[in-house]
Amino acid sequence: LVLAIICEEEELPNIFGQQKQNGLADLILGTDSRLNEVLARVPDIQRGPQPPFWLRNRHIQFIPFLIQNEVHRVVHPIPFQRIAVPIADCHEKPCESHSSRRTMNDTVTLDVFPPFDSDSEYPQFDRSSPIILYSPGLRCYSQDMPGNSVVRKAFGKGMRSIVFNRRGHTPNQPLKSPRWNLFGDVDDLEQIYWYIKDILSGDRTTPIFLYGISSGTAATVSALSKWDKRRRQNPLSKVPAFVASAHIVP
């Protein structure tokens, strides 16, 4: 704003071309004598950011976040609908039978909000409403991915949230086979994608946004790389597709 006030009569030249360097370009590049006037009017330009006191320590900065999470989890938890989904270890892998002893089949869970069977309670949602598919962090689940404020924000924007609790991450649900997905499995994620598209939504045109959080991004980033490669090699193959993705890491 200050630059505009001082140089409102000047014309901004093409500083990347051969045009003479003058006017606003000189001011931006720091060669104009009026720069001191700008600095006098806006002294904050010369100061670094000053975060709140609780953000100046890497341990203390988590305290407000943890308190907020506990209030949400205990006082007003999100009423997720939990859906159990069988996962086959033989997805795109050669094996004699899914019941083989060497096959690591299991059951994962999806936590959905708002639920698919609650049209009367949430009339603004239907089965074709946009979906955000979350891959939560280490030792996390739907009520703390960490945090769940993004789920509440999504609800306000008319987007349904589905949290994928990968193998070993659903509270009080023991593993059925000795495979624990610490960072997630791309094959599991793909099976979940098609379950959402074909069974839950029932509409393959439903837009899905992929959201990886912390260690959950290991699966989401790997999956997008694998699926993009498959799409390039065989454009007619059946490949998961998302309208966009976000990968939030420390």
Side-chain angles (χ1 to χ4, degrees):
L1 179 59
V2 174
L3 296 180
I5 291 174
I6 294 177
C7 303
E8 60 183 359
E9 300 299 330
E10 304 273 6
E11 181 179 353
L12 178 63
N14 178 13
I15 63 175
F16 297 104
Q18 299 299 320
Q19 193 169 345
K20 182 180 178 180
Q21 302 289 308
N22 57 15
L24 184 57
D26 289 328
L27 188 61
I28 294 175
L29 296 174
T31 58
D32 193 292
S33 60
R34 291 170 297 175
L35 182 60
N36 290 331
E37 184 180 350
V38 173
L39 296 177
R41 294 190 187 186
V42 192
D44 286 345
I45 292 178
Q46 303 179 80
R47 303 193 185 112
Q50 296 182 349
F53 72 91
W54 63 84
L55 294 181
R56 300 180 185 182
N57 181 279
R58 63 181 181 274
H59 303 297
I60 297 177
Q61 64 181 311
F62 280 101
I63 294 178
F65 184 70
L66 293 173
I67 293 175
Q68 176 186 351
N69 286 353
E70 284 302 297
V71 171
H72 284 168
R73 185 180 66 84
V74 177
V75 179
H76 189 55
I78 296 176
F80 284 104
Q81 171 193 15
R82 176 155 293 177
I83 301 174
V85 183
I87 293 295
D89 183 56
C90 291
H91 182 65
E92 290 194 350
K93 300 174 185 176
C95 61
E96 298 178 358
S97 170
H98 283 198
S99 61
S100 170
R101 287 185 175 182
R102 300 180 61 184
T103 302
M104 300 294 183
N105 295 340
D106 213 315
T107 299
V108 297
T109 60
L110 300 178
D111 285 346
V112 184
F113 179 76
F116 279 100
D117 56 0
S118 60
D119 295 342
S120 59
E121 187 176 357
Y122 305 100
Q124 69 272 37
F125 288 86
D126 56 35
R127 290 188 174 271
S128 62
S129 296
I131 293 171
I132 301 179
L133 176 59
Y134 302 86
S135 178
L138 184 67
R139 296 185 62 192
C140 294
Y141 70 113
S142 56
Q143 294 293 352
D144 185 8
M145 299 188 293
N148 56 35
S149 58
V150 64
V151 176
R152 302 172 190 272
K153 293 283 188 180
F155 173 77
K157 297 296 183 180
M159 303 184 72
R160 175 174 277 112
S161 292
I162 300 181
V163 182
F164 171 31
N165 300 311
R166 52 192 181 268
R167 303 188 192 209
H169 284 67
T170 302
N172 303 316
Q173 178 175 302
L175 292 169
K176 294 182 178 179
S177 58
R179 169 188 272 184
W180 176 39
N181 288 164
L182 179 63
F183 294 106
D185 183 88
V186 172
D187 282 347
D188 288 359
L189 183 60
E190 181 169 356
Q191 291 175 76
I192 288 300
Y193 174 89
W194 293 117
Y195 183 87
I196 293 172
K197 282 280 190 178
D198 297 337
I199 306 299
L200 295 183
S201 174
D203 183 357
R204 290 205 172 183
T205 65
T206 299
I208 299 182
F209 184 97
L210 184 62
Y211 195 114
I213 305 172
S214 191
S215 64
T217 61
T220 59
V221 172
S222 298
L224 292 178
S225 174
K226 176 180 178 180
W227 297 334
D228 283 346
K229 180 179 179 180
R230 188 199 306 171
R231 184 181 294 106
R232 291 194 304 270
Q233 293 176 342
N234 184 3
L236 299 180
S237 62
K238 181 180 177 181
V239 182
F242 299 90
V243 294
S245 66
H247 312 277
I248 313 301
V249 295

